[in-house]
Amino acid sequence: MSTSPLIDVQQVTYTYPVQRPKGSGEQALQHEPALQGINLQIQAGEYVVILGHNGSGKSTLARHCNALLVPDHGRVLVAGMDTRDTSKQRTIREWVGMIFQHPDNQLIATVVEDDVAWGLTVRGYSASEIRARVSTALEAVGIAHLRQLPPHQLSGGQRQRLAIAGILALQPHCIIADEATSMLDPFSRQELARLFATLHRDLGLTIVQVTHLLEEAVYAQRIVVMEQGRVLDEGTPGQIFADLERLRALKLIIPDPLSLVARLRQAGFCLAPEAVTNEEIAREIANA
Ligand SMILES: Nc1ncnc2c1ncn2[C@@H]1O[C@H](COP(=O)(O)OP(=O)(O)OP(=O)(O)O)[C@@H](O)[C@H]1O
Ligand SMILES: [Mg+2]
């Protein structure tokens, strides 16, 4: 049985409008298209990573998935709702929550639990419903013990978790994280990438994670590789990482464990192609 995708990007092309300073005349200035004929289907419950280097169009694509941007050509359907339909955009943004690079832009209140409650309060939920949802969301992201603190006392990683809790409280079907880990230290980055994997596994959430880091893509079920506004390739992490030279040519940085595996294979060791996380790689090497 085939079901229609949660997010259906059909032949989407998008060019950012030129902001002409006043009095600059009518020069025929135009940006290059940021998206060029993108087709991408994301099924409910999937965990997808959008991978690509600077300027490849990842953020532009992500913003099309919750109607922050709408296509010039083609269309985007979210659970069958066309993102161009202004009467549906509010629902679309509730279905598909978005997390950005800087959590602070998403934090509003002066106490952690009030911050998570804010989106529910403005939508008029009852006090008991708000309490229950706030507790569930804070527990899901692992910061329930910090609920009484002011957000500025939290670490960067904890503030990003708080931003995620605020989105989770609205019970979205999908979370899109656009380089949400890029302001964090490597350890917190890895922790947050694991949190997305956990939310996917335990809550059945659809996760779309945008990154230029291969090490954050290892938990995904599917990686979508972007370059110059196009989808270049799609596949499991094992399939995509099978050709590291090509990823290097796309200006992506290859993490040491993946380079090591590739070199061991060249030297004749037989290592399972689906071993991509550090844990899986360590196990393969130990058993080789
Ligand atoms: N607001 C904007 N106005 C004009 N051009 C833009 C704007 N935002 C992005 N672009 C251009 O669109 C293209 C795609 O950018 P986008 O931000 O989607 O890429 P990205 O893969 O998210 O890059 P990054 O790794 O830097 O976040 C780039 O050429 C970029 O310069
Ligand atoms: Mg971006």
Side-chain angles (χ1 to χ4, degrees), residues 114-136:
D114 295 347
D115 195 84
V116 181
W118 186 81
L120 299 167
T121 309
V122 297
R123 285 172 177 79
Y125 285 92
S126 72
S128 63
E129 175 76 11
I130 292 176
R131 256 196 315 278
R133 286 201 192 194
V134 167
S135 292
T136 307

Side-chain angles (χ1 to χ4, degrees), residues 16-17 31 34 52-61 178-179 210 212:
Y16 283 96
H31 288 303
H53 78 98
N54 283 350
S56 56
K58 306 180 298 292
S59 296
T60 309
L61 175 59
D178 186 359
E179 306 268 10
V210 170
H212 63 281

Side-chain angles (χ1 to χ4, degrees), residues 4-276:
S4 54
L6 178 63
I7 298 175
D8 193 358
V9 179
Q10 301 175 350
Q11 290 291 347
V12 166
T13 297
Y14 181 79
T15 305
Y16 283 96
V18 174
Q19 312 280 347
R20 260 199 208 88
K22 272 210 176 95
S24 69
E26 283 300 310
Q27 286 147 337
L29 191 73
Q30 219 193 338
H31 288 303
E32 291 289 304
L35 299 179
Q36 312 199 44
I38 297 269
N39 282 302
L40 179 66
Q41 282 72 43
I42 296 173
Q43 304 298 330
E46 249 197 305
Y47 179 4
V48 176
V49 158
I50 297 176
L51 182 70
H53 78 98
N54 283 350
S56 56
K58 306 180 298 292
S59 296
T60 309
L61 175 59
R63 282 159 197 262
H64 274 80
C65 294
N66 82 337
L68 288 176
L69 291 174
V70 293
D72 294 334
H73 301 286
R75 62 178 190 165
V76 178
L77 302 178
V78 175
M81 296 175 279
D82 193 320
T83 57
R84 270 213 206 86
D85 182 346
T86 47
S87 72
K88 299 275 169 39
Q89 288 177 344
R90 191 188 155 139
T91 313
I92 289 172
R93 292 192 190 120
E94 282 177 11
W95 276 59
V96 179
M98 193 129 168
I99 312 279
F100 300 95
Q101 202 169 358
H102 299 283
D104 298 353
N105 298 344
Q106 278 175 291
L107 305 181
I108 290 150
T110 52
V111 177
V112 163
E113 61 183 359
D114 295 347
D115 195 84
V116 181
W118 186 81
L120 299 167
T121 309
V122 297
R123 285 172 177 79
Y125 285 92
S126 72
S128 63
E129 175 76 11
I130 292 176
R131 256 196 315 278
R133 286 201 192 194
V134 167
S135 292
T136 307
L138 285 172
E139 273 156 31
V141 301
I143 57 165
H145 58 295
L146 306 174
R147 60 191 303 153
Q148 305 287 349
L149 289 182
H152 70 81
Q153 284 189 19
L154 272 51
S155 70
Q158 288 167 340
R159 286 207 297 280
Q160 199 55 285
R161 282 166 191 265
L162 174 53
I164 296 168
I167 302 280
L168 278 182
L170 301 174
Q171 300 186 342
H173 294 254
C174 175
I175 289 188
I176 301 185
D178 186 359
E179 306 268 10
T181 66
S182 57
M183 303 306 286
L184 305 177
D185 62 84
F187 178 77
S188 310
R189 267 188 200 158
Q190 204 64 22
E191 290 278 288
L192 206 67
R194 283 210 183 102
L195 173 64
F196 290 127
T198 308
L199 294 175
H200 169 253
R201 191 191 60 216
D202 295 352
L203 304 182
L205 271 174
T206 310
I207 302 284
V208 180
Q209 196 187 343
V210 170
T211 184
H212 63 281
L213 297 171
L214 268 67
E215 55 266 46
E216 291 189 357
V218 295
Y219 303 107
Q221 291 172 316
R222 178 159 62 115
I223 296 177
V224 174
V225 184
M226 287 193 70
E227 168 70 359
Q228 292 193 326
R230 294 194 169 89
V231 171
L232 210 63
D233 202 4
E234 290 183 51
T236 63
Q239 289 164 343
I240 297 296
F241 297 165
D243 190 353
L244 293 181
E245 282 316 311
R246 198 173 63 133
L247 297 176
R248 206 171 273 134
L250 295 175
K251 304 190 196 110
L252 296 167
I253 296 167
I254 312 301
D256 291 338
L258 290 174
S259 300
L260 175 64
V261 167
R263 270 184 293 158
L264 287 172
R265 277 203 193 99
Q266 277 164 7
F269 286 92
C270 184
L271 304 170
E274 59 273 14
V276 290

